[in-house]
Amino acid sequence: MAPPRIAFLHTGAVNIAPFGELAAELLPGATVINFLDDKIVGDLGDVQLAPSVPERIEGLVRAAAAAGADVVMFTCSSISEQAAPVAEAVGIDVLRVDEAMADAAVTAGRRIRVLATLPTTCRPTLALIAERAALVGAEPVLTSEVIEGAFAAVAGGDRATHDRLVAAAIERGASDADVVVLAQASMASAAEAVSVDVPVLTSPRLGVERLALRLAD
């Protein structure tokens, strides 16, 4: 049996290396193909350009299928809602990186605090958690915060400031929550810099672990 070919669809170059490292650890021997459109997140907030995003995403998934990918994973929570319609249109498995994280959040506690650095990520993450909760009959209490200045910092190459702002938000959120969810994969490094009394969930490892399980089926 040939080694699997995995396509990661990114909306930020910052995620390419971390997901490559996780794939090497959790899916040894797999071939990784990266697809990047680093304007998608910004364009989602533009009234004129937002309608172009689904077509662009489908184009990238079709390119992944043409390249022989067995499965595609969206590494960006802002576009996770596009996974199901694109998978149906192209005829390939498309996984959401944050689905496993949402499932873990629902089982971790009722009070779920969602942190994001972009409003375009916060809304779909809240919707995904509510969707996954409904599947198991849970009724979580969801709260959220969009962390001002964090995205601008990491986009400008200032990872230290990004992580400091996110860590402070984790500490604030943990005081009144059973679990803290970091909505974006790019926020994962900040979780390492803080210690709180509740779980802090990030999507990259959980997402790639679920991808490995899917390929093992």
Side-chain angles (χ1 to χ4, degrees), residues 164-212:
R164 175 176 55 79
L165 292 171
V166 174
I170 292 171
E171 291 174 345
R172 290 194 299 272
S175 65
D176 193 32
D178 299 314
V179 58
V180 175
V181 171
L182 302 188
Q184 285 140 266
S186 58
M187 299 169 71
S189 59
E192 302 169 4
V194 65
S195 177
V196 292
D197 294 330
V198 302
V200 179
L201 301 180
T202 60
S203 61
R205 178 170 292 275
L206 291 171
V208 177
E209 285 175 347
R210 179 160 292 186
L211 170 60

Side-chain angles (χ1 to χ4, degrees), residues 103-112 129 138-142 177-179 199:
D103 289 341
V106 169
T107 62
R110 187 163 183 260
R111 299 175 302 164
I112 302 175
I129 293 172
E139 297 181 353
V141 176
L142 300 173
D178 299 314
V179 58

